[in-house]
Amino acid sequence: DTGVSQNPRHKITKRGQNVTFRCDPISEHNRLYWYRQTLGQGPEFLTYFQNEAQLEKSRLLSDRFSAERPKGSFSTLEIQRTEQGDSAMYLCASSSGLATGELFFGEGSRLTVL
Amino acid sequence: GNSVTQMEGPVTLSEEAFLTINCTYTATGYPSLFWYVQYPGEGLQLLLKATKADDKGSNKGFEATYRKETTSFHLEKGSVQVSDSAVYFCALIETSGSRLTFGEGTQLTVNP
């Protein structure tokens, strides 16, 4: 399968714990995005990488959130000191950049904070 | 800022019925417009797109026309199938932008 892969698919954690999600994009794609989706809402942009450079961050990305893409391949999204409001589906997408707006999404990582 | 508004859902239709899902947008420039679809248990996938005014995007029997004068990009299909049951998201991106802005989504259920 050469699509976007996200792990873990589900994570249940207690408030205050740290969690990390991983995204493996389509191998030839140099752009990688993180979005957050809550029930009944559309995806909301969190951050964007071109290769290893983080070029844009949303105001939604508080200082408890950090994303990295150290070698321009896979990416991680870490949430520190989780809060119940962090419960959501975290979506990763990648693109080649040749066709603006044409993103390939993974199936998402669902976070539940108790 | 940019925003996308979709018709209030959910939408329930019988097989072979005509489908319209409304989408209007607000943007400062001349965005490209998209419809993404999310089938149950799957990731979002691009359904169709239009990059300039009066363009018509089409795929799998679905169509949408970029109407600059009404800032709309309504999704239509002449005859829906049970397999079209999914959540549909309208989205836009500015010409020089990097982020997609999505609408809230419309759940479509097609009954046999």
Side-chain angles (χ1 to χ4, degrees):
Chain A
D1 184 11
T2 57
V4 177
S5 176
Q6 293 189 243
N7 288 287
R9 294 291 310 282
H10 304 277
K11 179 71 176 178
I12 300 174
T13 191
K14 293 183 179 179
R15 189 175 53 189
Q17 298 296 304
N18 299 342
V19 297
T20 299
F21 299 112
R22 176 180 170 125
C23 172
D24 288 273
I26 293 172
S27 58
E28 60 267 29
H29 286 177
N30 61 354
R31 296 186 177 189
L32 187 147
Y33 306 78
W34 286 99
Y35 283 79
R36 182 172 68 185
Q37 186 178 19
T38 53
L39 194 62
Q41 299 298 314
E44 296 174 296
F45 173 83
L46 292 179
T47 190
Y48 152 62
F49 291 84
Q50 182 157 318
N51 299 312
E52 67 275 9
Q54 189 173 20
L55 298 185
E56 191 173 351
K57 292 195 294 185
S58 164
R59 286 173 292 179
L60 293 175
L61 212 66
S62 75
D63 56 6
R64 295 185 298 105
F65 288 70
S66 63
E68 295 182 344
R69 194 183 184 198
K71 298 182 180 179
S73 56
F74 73 92
S75 175
T76 57
L77 177 68
E78 181 182 17
I79 308 173
Q80 297 183 325
R81 306 180 303 281
T82 53
E83 302 173 355
Q84 288 186 324
D86 298 331
S87 296
M89 180 75 86
Y90 290 86
L91 304 177
C92 178
S94 68
S95 76
S96 64
L98 297 177
T100 303
E102 292 191 25
L103 272 55
F104 292 79
F105 282 84
E107 295 179 357
S109 293
R110 181 171 297 283
L111 173 65
T112 301
V113 182
L114 302 177
Chain B
N2 299 334
S3 67
V4 176
T5 302
Q6 293 183 227
M7 65 186 295
E8 294 185 10
V11 175
T12 302
L13 295 172
S14 298
E15 206 165 23
E16 299 184 1
F18 184 85
L19 168 70
T20 299
I21 301 178
N22 291 337
C23 171
T24 58
Y25 67 89
T26 302
T28 53
Y30 301 95
S32 294
L33 302 174
F34 305 83
W35 278 99
Y36 276 79
V37 58
Q38 188 171 31
Y39 297 104
E42 298 184 15
L44 279 86
Q45 54 188 273
L46 178 65
L47 179 60
L48 54 84
K49 71 172 186 178
T51 58
K52 60 182 187 297
D54 299 325
D55 269 3
K56 178 185 284 187
S58 61
N59 186 26
K60 299 182 180 180
F62 291 89
E63 293 183 341
T65 301
Y66 190 142
R67 300 289 188 199
K68 185 170 178 290
E69 62 277 14
T70 55
T71 61
S72 64
F73 193 55
H74 305 321
L75 183 68
E76 296 182 335
K77 186 175 185 182
S79 177
V80 293
Q81 306 300 312
V82 172
S83 57
D84 294 326
S85 297
V87 183
Y88 292 81
F89 294 92
C90 186
L92 69 80
I93 191 168
E94 291 281 9
T95 304
S96 59
S98 56
R99 64 170 76 180
L100 273 171
T101 299
F102 286 89
E104 60 269 32
T106 300
Q107 172 78 56
L108 170 66
T109 301
V110 180
N111 295 317

